[in-house]
Amino acid sequence: MSERIVGANPDLAALAAAVLQPGFVGTTPPAWVCRWLGEGLGSVVLFARNVVDHEQVAALTATLRAERPDVIVAIDEEAGDVTRLESARGSSRPGNFALGAVDDVDLTEEVARDLGAELAAVGVTLDYAPDADVNSNPANPVIGVRSFGADPALVARHTAAWVRGLQAGGVAACAKHFPGHGDTRVDSHHDLPRIGGDRARLDAVELAPFRAAVSAGVQAVMTGHLLVPALDPELPATLSSRILGGLLRDELGFHGVVVTDAVEMRAVADRYGFAGAAVRALAAGADAICVGGERATEADARELRDAVVAAVLAGELPEERLAEAAKRVGQLAAWSVAARADRPAGPRPGAGSAVGLAAARRALRVVADRPARLPLAGPAHVVEFAPPRNIAIGEETPWGIAAPLAGLVPGTTTARYAQDEVPADPAGGAAGRPLVLVVRDLHRHDWMRAAVGRALAARPDAVVVELGVPELVTGGLHVATHGATRAAAQAAAELLAGTR
């Protein structure tokens, strides 16, 4: 029945398609995506599954653009632990937390401009970044090193610098996750987080970076699937007209595109349904519906499009609101076309980022009882403790310092343990060698703390390298990288090997 309704209302169907940002499976655009681009679809989003290398992504986006020259091509590329363009190797740039540790806004702007030029060179026009969340809760399972830090003023100034840099590189920035995902212990991929605090607290902490992003001219803002009772006691931010209209539009003065976080995420889909969440988001003031991380077929996109059309015909979604959303998406597409025409020449695709490695080196922090213990006195045994990944980071991106350290110090060996794999003696195998213990967010994992404690009891001379948030500093020699990117790992390996 929905297909007959859509077929009888082609203009309405085109408007509905215009506000979708679907993903797809494959390293070339499937036929349905190409067909939909000719029928009104305005955007697509790329994930790690769509990326082989820079040349392939450039060919993919050229194919999309041959169908629709102003198509918005989005990607979730934070240039940190969350990377899609470099998912096979790890990011060649440090993430937000490392940049916040350095606290040089010129450096942050330079790193973001470098990334923007690289994304533009392969045909990406919208980046779901920067993460503007204030990581005020160290137990946060999904933000952590994706944030610039726990200080609202620091996060605000670096969010603005990142927006300026990325957009100077020719790619639209998208500050997320509005109104702020930092003060929670819940991952919205799995359930609905609740953000406490009164309005004064929200103004002073969560909202400060978003005000800075708007002032910096950010082109898009991504909503968070968050219940914020001080703003709306009933509806998650993505579905709340009070938050999207009253706060973001009216109070903060944002005039760009409001993009939802993925509508298949359980925080909203479990409560309102996959299509129901999309319709409610549009009615509340969202302009673009991100989908496809987990639901990436034509049937999924059709379900959303048909539900939007049906909601308009039923009077649940005003046609004027849908038309307004489609207009804003079109304005972002026009901005992107102009930015592509005006952008400076970018780096050679796949060349890596020299500025990224230099920044990662500056982000290293060493706490030592005897600084002379560096560099290591020969080939080491590296033990890496692997916590569960969250969906945002993904399972496909490599991490750890063992590989780059072995490249600098031949003979280095490694072991990696997940929670149920740690032996009674984690330091075993390191006899006569320097021992390096590699952790991610040690403070959040009881099993990891226990294992590291046993290893340090046996080998108090071991080096602890923290690739996550260094909330817990332990051991006589502690190195914090403020992120698990390839650049961070290389910088730490150089420090341990004494090659810097």
Side-chain angles (χ1 to χ4, degrees):
M1 182 180 296
S2 61
E3 278 299 318
R4 290 200 297 271
I5 292 174
V6 169
N9 297 271
D11 293 340
L12 197 54
L15 282 178
V19 301
L20 301 183
Q21 292 191 347
F24 56 87
V25 176
T27 55
T28 59
W32 73 267
V33 169
C34 294
R35 185 176 69 254
W36 277 51
L37 288 172
E39 298 173 353
L41 182 65
S43 313
V44 299
V45 56
L46 305 182
F47 294 90
R49 63 179 176 237
N50 305 120
V51 175
V52 176
D53 54 33
H54 288 67
E55 290 75 16
Q56 170 266 326
V57 175
L60 183 156
T61 60
T63 301
L64 295 170
R65 207 151 275 119
E67 299 292 337
R68 179 167 184 158
D70 66 344
V71 61
I72 295 170
V73 181
I75 199 168
D76 192 7
E77 177 57 66
E78 296 178 11
D81 286 25
V82 176
T83 179
R84 309 301 183 222
L85 194 62
E86 298 188 277
S87 60
R89 300 178 63 201
S91 177
S92 58
R93 300 171 180 85
N96 285 2
F97 203 66
L99 293 171
V102 177
D103 195 14
D104 178 344
V105 292
D106 291 335
L107 176 65
T108 295
E109 188 168 342
E110 182 182 10
V111 169
R113 186 184 302 110
D114 183 58
L115 173 65
E118 188 167 0
L119 290 174
V122 298
V124 170
T125 57
L126 171 64
D127 188 8
Y128 295 154
D131 189 311
D133 300 309
V134 179
N135 196 56
S136 51
N137 187 342
N140 196 312
V142 69
I143 302 302
V145 296
R146 300 169 64 194
S147 167
F148 287 109
D151 174 35
L154 179 146
V155 176
R157 62 178 173 265
H158 286 277
T159 294
W162 217 95
V163 168
R164 290 193 301 268
L166 187 76
Q167 294 187 169
V171 173
C174 180
K176 64 187 183 187
H177 307 82
F178 185 80
H181 205 315
D183 190 14
T184 178
R185 291 174 176 263
V186 176
D187 183 346
S188 52
H189 290 90
H190 305 299
D191 205 348
L192 180 64
R194 184 182 185 277
I195 306 299
D198 58 18
R199 179 59 197 268
R201 147 80 192 213
L202 293 170
D203 280 331
V205 181
E206 279 79 10
L207 296 178
F210 291 99
R211 292 184 189 276
V214 172
S215 295
V218 70
Q219 290 293 313
V221 169
M222 176 175 280
T223 67
H225 301 326
L226 313 161
L227 185 65
V228 190
L231 301 175
D232 189 328
E234 298 178 356
L235 293 171
T238 299
L239 314 182
S240 170
S241 60
R242 295 185 191 180
I243 295 175
L244 301 188
L247 177 57
L248 182 56
R249 295 290 187 199
D250 298 339
E251 290 191 41
L252 271 62
F254 178 64
H255 302 296
V257 169
V258 176
V259 185
T260 70
D261 208 345
V263 292
E264 69 264 38
M265 290 167 62
R266 296 183 63 183
V268 291
D270 279 3
R271 289 162 175 80
Y272 305 97
F274 175 55
V279 170
R280 284 172 174 261
L282 289 167
D287 304 307
I289 305 298
C290 172
V291 63
E294 297 171 71
R295 299 192 62 166
T297 68
E298 181 177 13
D300 295 320
R302 184 187 299 114
E303 181 178 347
L304 295 186
R305 183 199 63 187
D306 294 358
V308 171
V309 171
V312 172
L313 295 176
E316 299 168 2
L317 173 63
E319 185 173 350
E320 295 78 9
R321 168 80 272 275
L322 179 60
E324 177 187 51
K327 180 179 178 180
R328 286 207 184 99
V329 172
Q331 290 169 339
L332 177 58
W335 181 94
S336 298
V337 169
R340 283 177 56 80
D342 295 341
R343 72 177 177 87
R348 178 175 63 84
S353 174
V355 66
L357 180 56
R361 289 167 176 158
R362 291 179 61 184
L364 293 178
R365 298 291 182 269
V366 179
V367 177
D369 56 1
R370 296 188 301 262
R373 289 167 62 187
L374 289 177
L376 299 176
H381 182 62
V382 180
V383 180
E384 298 176 337
F385 298 95
R389 301 280 192 104
N390 63 59
I391 292 175
I393 293 175
E395 295 289 344
E396 68 280 343
T397 304
W399 65 276
I401 70 165
L405 184 59
L408 297 172
V409 185
T412 292
T413 58
T414 185
R416 176 173 288 192
Y417 303 119
Q419 179 174 357
D420 57 354
E421 300 169 344
V422 183
D425 179 16
R433 293 169 172 255
L435 176 63
V436 180
L437 307 173
V438 182
V439 297
R440 293 180 79 172
D441 292 337
L442 181 65
H443 65 287
R444 291 203 304 110
H445 303 286
D446 293 342
W447 67 271
M448 193 183 297
R449 289 196 302 277
V452 169
R454 295 197 304 273
L456 288 173
R459 289 288 302 272
D461 62 324
V463 180
V464 177
V465 180
E466 171 65 81
L467 302 184
V469 176
E471 184 73 14
L472 176 61
V473 175
T474 189
L477 180 56
H478 184 276
V479 179
T481 64
H482 302 92
T485 68
R486 174 163 52 97
Q490 182 65 34
E494 292 172 351
L495 178 68
L496 297 181
T499 59
R500 284 184 55 187

